[in-house]
Amino acid sequence: MTPEPAPQTDMDTFMAVDMRVGRVTAVEDFPEARTPAWKLTIDFGPALGQRRSSAQIRNYGRRDLEGRLVVAVVNLPPRQIGPLRSEVLVLGAVDREKGVILLCPDEDVALGDRIA
């Protein structure tokens, strides 16, 4: 069952969500998480630097994630998830059978490039 569409928004509200391209540089186990997750370190380039995230994407192995480009929201307030301070929200499509399918550019782009 597909969720209902969200209410209509305006362009200013959409542009306030800062989505950037980053590269996963480290993947760690996260045994303290209530649901299976990885601890990710993601490099967003010189302007934003490295940020941490908890990601419920256990359908991807460590080797699938390390070095991979991802898209994340970088301007949400940090969220404490167990012992980890999650600083960004990695984006993906949620598939009932496959789990989360990560959003990523299909070509190599500069770290920190903005999604618009």
Side-chain angles (χ1 to χ4, degrees):
M1 182 169 156
T2 304
E4 292 295 317
Q8 192 172 37
T9 190
D10 60 38
M11 191 56 123
D12 289 339
T13 302
F14 174 75
M15 293 306 291
V17 179
D18 192 359
M19 295 175 281
R20 303 286 180 125
V21 175
R23 185 174 306 279
V24 177
T25 58
V27 180
E28 301 170 58
D29 289 323
F30 195 4
E32 304 90 351
R34 280 188 241 156
T35 56
W38 293 111
K39 292 180 193 176
L40 303 179
T41 303
I42 304 167
D43 182 4
F44 290 97
L48 295 172
Q50 292 197 353
R51 305 279 175 95
R52 301 280 310 233
S53 182
S54 168
Q56 295 177 3
I57 49 173
R58 290 306 290 232
N59 52 316
Y60 290 86
R62 184 183 313 257
R63 288 188 181 135
D64 298 324
L65 292 168
E66 289 176 341
R68 181 186 191 100
L69 290 177
V70 294
V71 174
V73 177
V74 299
N75 66 334
L76 293 172
R79 188 169 174 198
Q80 195 69 36
I81 301 174
L84 178 72
R85 183 172 183 242
S86 188
E87 302 167 305
V88 299
L89 176 64
V90 177
L91 299 178
V94 179
D95 181 279
R96 282 184 174 218
E97 295 175 18
K98 299 176 188 173
V100 175
I101 308 302
L102 291 172
L103 298 183
C104 60
D106 62 359
E107 293 188 25
D108 203 24
V109 295
L111 300 181
D113 275 359
R114 185 153 188 191
I115 304 299

